[in-house]
Amino acid sequence: IDLISLDRVAALHAKQNAEPKKRHLILLDARSDQRYTAGHIAGAEHLQISDVNTDLGRDPRIESYDNIVVYADNPGSASSRALTKRLLRIRYDDVYMFPGGLDAWVRAGLPTESGE
């Protein structure tokens, strides 16, 4: 699993926001429905490991991004590691795990949102 730093995720997030029609970054929140709805990184998509069926192959919408970043709450969160492994097993390219997760993002004062 390739890890990605807070600084790199923040830079990609800013680039994606500056050029919304491009596909620089997709952030995948691997947490439960309730935790995602309560708050997540602004613009993140919600995707749990149970949503990824290895028999169906890759999702063209996700695959079209240059960088796929998976996160959960913090380095102790197993859900982000599990989802990252599942995506790698299906052979997605440019998949990274952001170990700091939402906790590090919030501490850095970066934008979040709530709801679905």
Side-chain angles (χ1 to χ4, degrees):
I1 293 179
D2 290 328
L3 304 180
I4 190 168
S5 70
L6 171 64
D7 291 342
R8 182 72 180 131
V9 176
L12 286 168
H13 189 263
K15 186 176 182 179
Q16 182 61 54
N17 287 337
E19 300 176 306
K21 293 187 181 195
K22 304 246 175 149
R23 294 185 158 305
H24 300 295
L25 170 71
I26 185 167
L27 285 160
L28 300 176
D29 187 315
R31 300 173 307 141
S32 70
D33 294 335
Q34 297 82 6
R35 294 185 74 82
Y36 175 80
T37 302
H40 53 271
I41 295 174
E45 303 278 335
H46 185 231
L47 187 70
Q48 294 179 289
I49 192 166
S50 60
D51 298 327
V52 180
N53 183 335
T54 56
D55 293 335
L56 297 178
R58 295 181 286 198
D59 180 335
R61 189 183 61 81
I62 294 172
E63 187 175 36
S64 67
Y65 284 88
D66 296 337
N67 297 279
I68 303 166
V69 175
V70 180
Y71 76 93
D73 287 314
N74 55 52
S77 301
S79 59
S80 59
R81 183 171 299 280
L83 181 56
T84 302
K85 284 182 178 181
R86 175 75 53 99
L87 294 174
L88 289 169
R89 188 174 315 132
I90 302 173
R91 301 197 183 277
Y92 279 96
D93 295 323
D94 302 311
V95 177
Y96 305 95
M97 188 178 89
F98 172 38
L102 186 62
D103 291 354
W105 190 264
V106 169
R107 277 194 312 275
L110 294 165
T112 61
E113 60 190 13
S114 59
E116 294 189 28

